[in-house]
Amino acid sequence: MNKIFNTFFLGLIITFFGANLFGDYASRMKDRLPSLLEAKALGFVGEGTDGFVYIRKEETERIKKLVTSENEDRKILFKIMATKTGGSIEEVANRFSKALVHKSKKGHWFRKSSGEWMQKK
């Protein structure tokens, strides 16, 4: 049941992005995605269990701006999704995080709630 909901949730997000119902921040997230994926592949950033991106190493101005911008737009996304689904922002962020774990590539990094980093194998 949980896996079905996660798949549905991810599909819902993709549908909204595709339809551009979320406004400007969805466009910014879509435009930023290649840079974010590159930073993940290089190990500069990783995903947190709270649905936000964190700097792992190489804290350059470009990486700081990338992470800050992404997290600001994710806050908007989580708020809108919580309103649309009737859930809390934390629940939406948690489901988003779980969906990203499933969709992530081998080698991407994830930060546990304890702060410890682990790499997807």
Side-chain angles (χ1 to χ4, degrees):
M1 175 76 173
N2 196 20
K3 187 174 183 177
I4 293 170
F5 184 80
N6 284 341
T7 302
F8 171 75
F9 185 77
L10 185 59
L12 186 63
I13 289 172
I14 291 168
T15 299
F16 282 128
F17 275 124
N20 203 16
L21 295 175
F22 286 157
D24 290 341
Y25 75 92
S27 296
R28 290 190 303 266
M29 289 177 78
K30 185 176 179 182
D31 291 345
R32 189 182 310 114
L33 185 59
S35 296
L36 185 60
L37 291 174
E38 178 185 12
K40 285 182 182 183
L42 295 171
F44 295 146
V45 301
E47 295 286 343
T49 57
D50 59 357
F52 294 103
V53 181
Y54 291 92
I55 297 172
R56 278 197 63 250
K57 61 180 183 176
E58 305 273 341
E59 192 172 321
T60 64
E61 283 304 313
R62 184 179 83 77
I63 294 295
K64 279 194 246 182
K65 182 178 178 183
L66 177 71
V67 168
T68 299
S69 298
E70 180 68 15
N71 287 339
E72 287 173 0
D73 286 338
R74 285 186 184 190
K75 286 177 190 176
I76 297 168
L77 170 69
F78 299 157
K79 185 175 181 179
I80 289 172
M81 288 301 300
T83 301
K84 290 193 177 292
T85 62
S88 71
I89 292 172
E90 292 78 19
E91 290 169 332
V92 169
N94 185 276
R95 295 232 184 256
F96 184 84
S97 173
K98 287 179 181 178
L100 285 177
V101 169
H102 284 291
K103 289 295 208 178
S104 70
K105 294 182 178 183
K106 181 179 170 184
H108 286 189
W109 289 88
F110 295 89
R111 183 175 148 189
K112 297 180 182 180
S113 56
S114 66
E116 178 186 356
W117 287 100
M118 62 182 277
Q119 192 173 25
K120 185 171 182 179
K121 304 242 185 235

